[in-house]
Amino acid sequence: MRPQLMESSVAEIIVAYNSEFRGFASYYAIADGVKASLDKLELVVLRSLLATVACRRGSTRRQAEDYLKMGTDHGVTTVVRGASRVHKVWKLKHLVVKAWDNPIVDTITVGSRIAQSPNDLVTRLNAEECEACGGTAGPFEMHHPHRLKDKRRDQLTPWVRSARRRRTIVLCRKCHVAHHGGRMPSGMESRVH
């Protein structure tokens, strides 16, 4: 039983369960044997739906099932602007399983383009080049002009976002020590900040 749906009508409860279960099943629709794999989940969803409707109506789960019974399906009929509308419970038998017509997987997705941006810290470190002096003698370290601990007072999500996006520069050990010691030459200082 889901207490967060107790203030909703029976039709709204059905729509909420339908959208969640249909979305989940549609995501896995291209998998082999998806209906057989999700049949236990369908049973859990149906029992949870019946328990929620029963609690909402102040009845038993069996009475809720009888109330929602529509032949071989479950659902409820409502009147919207003078016309009756049927809200059926979505089940796996309604899932259309199609063969995947494009078996080629995209090699570059939008997510991977974002993850492989030129600002990626690991990629920049693996370039093995100091961004201040241009030297290739390592080891290389990541310098953060703005300390992360100064941002810890913020909420978690903005803090994580700023940690990902904050300005950084790859420095060789010599330039990093010189920068923190205040001995960075003026030409290199402008590239660091």
Side-chain angles (χ1 to χ4, degrees):
M1 192 272 297
R2 293 173 65 181
Q4 64 268 30
L5 297 174
M6 286 300 102
E7 300 300 318
S8 304
S9 68
V10 174
E12 290 172 329
I13 292 171
I14 290 173
V15 168
Y17 273 90
N18 283 353
S19 65
E20 291 171 5
F21 186 48
R22 182 176 47 239
F24 187 84
S26 296
Y27 180 80
Y28 289 103
I30 62 171
D32 292 333
V34 64
K35 289 187 177 184
S37 299
L38 294 180
D39 61 348
K40 289 182 182 168
L41 178 63
E42 180 182 35
L43 183 62
V44 170
V45 169
L46 183 60
R47 286 183 178 173
S48 177
L49 170 76
L50 292 174
T52 304
V53 170
C55 189
R56 171 70 175 93
R57 297 186 74 234
S59 63
T60 65
R61 197 172 78 190
R62 180 71 189 153
Q63 291 170 332
E65 185 173 8
D66 291 341
Y67 172 74
L68 294 176
K69 197 73 171 162
M70 296 181 134
T72 59
D73 289 327
H74 294 88
V76 67
T77 303
T78 58
V79 177
V80 179
R81 295 186 197 111
S84 64
R85 185 173 181 180
V86 177
H87 299 278
K88 286 191 175 180
V89 176
W90 192 86
K91 296 183 179 176
L92 283 175
K93 67 181 182 181
H94 302 123
L95 179 65
V96 178
V97 179
K98 295 188 291 187
W100 195 15
D101 53 347
N102 185 7
I104 300 170
V105 178
D106 293 338
T107 54
I108 299 176
T109 62
V110 174
S112 69
R113 279 196 300 261
I114 293 170
Q116 296 172 358
S117 69
N119 196 26
D120 185 31
L121 304 179
V122 175
T123 305
R124 290 169 57 207
L125 274 172
N126 287 338
E128 295 185 357
E129 182 180 351
C130 179
E131 294 177 359
C133 70
T136 56
F140 298 96
E141 301 169 350
M142 194 61 69
H143 173 70
H144 307 280
H146 304 291
R147 295 182 304 184
L148 191 58
K149 71 177 184 177
D150 295 339
K151 298 183 178 285
R152 286 193 188 253
R153 292 186 198 98
D154 293 344
Q155 293 177 340
L156 181 63
T157 303
W159 181 75
V160 170
R161 190 177 302 127
S162 68
R164 173 83 174 139
R165 294 182 180 168
R166 67 197 177 112
R167 295 187 319 167
T168 57
I169 186 167
V170 177
L171 297 175
C172 63
R173 180 75 182 139
K174 180 179 144 196
C175 290
H176 202 185
V177 169
H179 176 71
H180 282 287
R183 299 181 306 273
M184 182 71 80
S186 60
M188 291 185 208
E189 187 72 25
S190 63
R191 293 179 70 182
V192 173
H193 296 285

